[in-house]
């Protein structure tokens, strides 16, 4: 855009200096071309308001069943990512959804999952959370879905719980943190779990994890502001460069918060093969390239949680199609950031880049296409 404005200024100076009529024609042609370019670059937005009623499907929404929240507090987790550990109840969740036009939420446990526990305690807590979620399906059949929490990093126990949650409880997918004990998704230790998830064509929500205090800079900012986005990026990058996303193409991965910083860094990640690192790349791993990285990045799903603004959405659209963007509220952790007045739109800035039909696609049709059990339950 800077180049176009400079060219326009030059044309005006020439015109004022007595340029020939031919120059005037060129300037007019350039101006019309610039207008056309702007028209193409600016999304067409309809003036019609979004549909009335509760139609949105929220794929980034958290829950804290009572025993789980009590356990978090007992073990010193008074904040999650620097945000005070909130209260939660199904009644409050339904009230929130009704206010913001959300028909259903696919619930998940946020960081730290159940990984603050070990052994049988972790197994029992995961089973409690997943059974609680399945019970919500019976109590509120059209309002809730859920992603199963797994007792990571115990891989055999995680596989057993994933099979039970997906095959018996019929949860809609699983939630995995970006890393466990500093080990990121993509590490070979997670391979058996990925095999089981790929066999079930599972939908996997990747949520960031807090980094240990001794492994990050001391900054006066809570993790959820910046660090969470960086950790999602690290996980997605490791999943690609270790070949995980290529070996298990039937797993559909959703990245929280519009993929963190992945869209912005997409080209930079791909050029590693053009550096000296490309020559040193391990023989047993697929060598990353710009084109292949772009393809893999385009296959992730990206939610709008805390990212429903033109800058983030434009970057996301630059690396994937609109059909890979899904709505997310991040409630109850986002309660303080959501608009409290107006037309009860939970993400009004989405309308700055998407028209009404496009918003309907992102906020309803895309999520329901990925979660068939929930789609059947809500009649969508």
């Amino acid at each position: 855009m800077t180049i176009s404005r400079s060219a326009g200024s030059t044309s005006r100076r020439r015109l004022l200096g007595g340029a020939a009529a031919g120059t005037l024609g060129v300037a007019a042609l350039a101006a019309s071309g610039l207008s056309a370019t702007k028209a193409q670059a600016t999304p067409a937005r309809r003036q019609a308001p979004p549909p009335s009623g509760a139609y949105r499907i929220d794929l980034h929404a958290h829950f804290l069943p009572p025993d789980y929240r009590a356990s978090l507090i007992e073990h010193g987790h008074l904040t999650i990512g620097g945000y005070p550990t909130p209260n939660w109840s199904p009644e409050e969740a339904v009230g929130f959804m009704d206010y913001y036009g959300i028909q259903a939420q696919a619930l998940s446990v946020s960081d730290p999952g159940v990984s603050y526990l070990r052994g049988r305690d972790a197994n029992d807590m995961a089973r409690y959370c997943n059974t609680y979620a399945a019970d919500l399906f019976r109590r509120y059949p059209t309002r809730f879905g859920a992603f199963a929490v797994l007792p990571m990093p115990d891989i055999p126990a995680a596989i057993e719980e994933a099979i039970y949650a997906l095959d018996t409880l019929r949860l809609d997918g699983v939630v995995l943190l970006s890393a466990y004990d500093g080990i990121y998704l993509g590490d070979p230790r997670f391979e058996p779990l990925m095999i089981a998830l790929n066999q079930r064509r599972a939908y996997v929500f990747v949520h960031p994890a807090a980094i240990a205090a001794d492994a990050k800079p001391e900054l006066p900012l809570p993790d959820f502001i910046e660090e969470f986005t960086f950790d999602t990026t690290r996980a997605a990058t490791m999943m690609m460069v270790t070949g995980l996303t290529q070996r298990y193409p039937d797993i559909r991965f959703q990245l929280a918060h519009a993929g963190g910083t992945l869209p912005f860094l997409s080209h930079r990640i791909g050029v590693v093969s053009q550096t000296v690192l490309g020559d040193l790349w391990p023989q047993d791993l697929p060598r990353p390239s710009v084109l292949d990285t772009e393809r893999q990045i385009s296959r992730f799903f990206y939610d709008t949680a805390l990212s429903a603004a033109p800058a983030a959405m434009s970057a996301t659209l630059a690396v994937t199609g609109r059909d890979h963007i899904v709505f997310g509220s991040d409630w109850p952790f986002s309660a303080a950031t959501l608009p409290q007045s107006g037309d009860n739109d939970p993400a009004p800035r989405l309308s700055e880049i998407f028209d009404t039909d496009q918003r309907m696609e992102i906020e309803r049709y895309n999520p329901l296409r990925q979660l068939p059990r929930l789609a059947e339950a809500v009649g969508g």
Side-chain angles (χ1 to χ4, degrees):
M1 296 302 294
T2 301
I3 293 175
S4 298
R5 284 195 297 267
S6 176
S9 298
T10 301
S11 298
R12 284 192 296 272
R13 285 196 299 269
R14 289 177 177 173
L15 179 61
L16 291 173
T23 304
L24 177 59
V26 172
L29 181 61
S32 64
L34 179 59
S35 298
T37 301
K38 285 184 177 180
Q40 292 173 357
T42 303
R45 295 188 296 276
R46 300 185 181 183
Q47 298 302 313
S52 60
Y55 71 92
R56 297 178 174 91
I57 306 297
D58 187 352
L59 296 198
H60 186 151
H62 298 299
F63 75 136
L64 296 91
D67 290 357
Y68 174 67
R69 186 181 186 279
S71 177
L72 286 174
I73 299 301
E74 179 184 349
H75 287 80
H77 291 277
L78 304 180
T79 64
I80 304 297
Y83 187 95
T85 302
N87 291 304
W88 179 92
S89 72
E91 294 78 16
E92 288 176 299
V94 170
F96 162 77
M97 286 190 279
D98 288 345
Y99 184 84
Y100 285 107
I102 297 170
Q103 182 175 8
Q105 291 182 323
L107 301 172
S108 60
V109 166
S110 185
D111 178 60
V114 298
S115 61
Y116 66 97
L117 302 170
R118 286 294 189 266
R120 182 164 184 171
D121 289 340
N123 299 347
D124 290 347
M125 185 57 72
R127 180 62 56 89
Y128 163 74
C129 290
N130 296 333
T131 303
Y132 186 99
D135 184 60
L136 288 175
F137 297 176
R138 291 183 286 272
R139 296 165 56 195
Y140 304 88
T142 64
R143 306 310 299 268
F144 293 112
F147 301 136
V149 62
L150 307 180
M152 297 286 280
D154 184 337
I155 299 302
I159 293 173
E160 180 180 352
E161 186 61 26
I163 293 173
Y164 180 78
L166 295 174
D167 295 358
T168 302
L169 296 179
R170 292 195 67 210
L171 299 196
D172 299 286
V174 304
V175 58
L176 293 177
L177 298 181
S178 51
Y180 295 91
D181 297 340
I183 308 299
Y184 283 87
L185 300 181
D187 188 276
R189 280 167 277 197
F190 300 135
E191 202 80 358
L193 174 62
M194 297 301 166
I195 292 173
L197 295 176
N198 192 68
Q199 289 172 342
R200 285 160 178 78
R201 303 177 64 88
Y203 193 85
V204 176
F205 175 31
V206 178
H207 192 278
I211 300 175
D214 59 359
K216 64 181 180 182
E218 292 187 14
L219 300 175
L221 295 171
D223 282 352
F224 79 89
I225 296 294
E226 293 180 340
E227 291 298 331
F228 268 14
T229 65
F230 302 152
D231 223 49
T232 299
T233 305
R234 295 183 187 106
T237 301
M238 292 305 298
M239 290 161 61
M240 290 187 293
V241 301
T242 60
L244 184 150
T245 48
Q246 294 170 303
R247 290 192 300 279
Y248 305 113
D250 289 333
I251 301 177
R252 293 156 296 146
F253 291 102
Q254 172 187 327
L255 302 180
H257 312 119
T261 61
L262 184 64
F264 178 81
L265 296 176
S266 57
H267 178 75
R268 188 184 184 101
I269 293 169
V271 300
V272 66
S273 62
Q274 301 170 7
T275 69
V276 65
L277 290 177
D279 298 329
L280 302 175
W281 205 257
Q283 293 295 321
D284 57 341
L285 293 179
R287 179 171 165 172
S289 67
V290 173
L291 291 179
D292 187 64
T293 300
E294 289 178 354
R295 182 187 66 82
Q296 292 187 67
I297 289 175
S298 73
R299 294 184 65 246
F300 288 119
F301 289 85
Y302 299 80
D303 70 53
T304 66
L306 295 177
S307 307
M313 289 295 98
S314 295
T316 305
L317 285 171
V319 299
T320 194
R322 195 172 58 248
D323 60 341
H324 276 60
I325 302 176
V326 294
F327 173 70
S329 71
D330 214 343
W331 191 82
F333 293 93
S334 63
T337 69
L338 291 166
Q340 303 295 320
S341 60
D343 58 2
N344 297 358
D345 186 342
R349 299 201 67 190
L350 287 179
S351 293
E352 296 179 32
I353 193 165
F354 301 114
D355 66 28
T356 301
D357 290 343
Q358 292 168 347
R359 285 198 59 170
M360 191 69 157
E361 182 181 359
I362 289 165
E363 295 176 285
R364 182 173 180 84
Y365 299 138
N366 292 346
L368 289 180
R369 273 195 291 266
Q370 301 310 315
L371 306 185
R373 187 214 62 82
L374 183 60
E376 181 180 359
V378 303

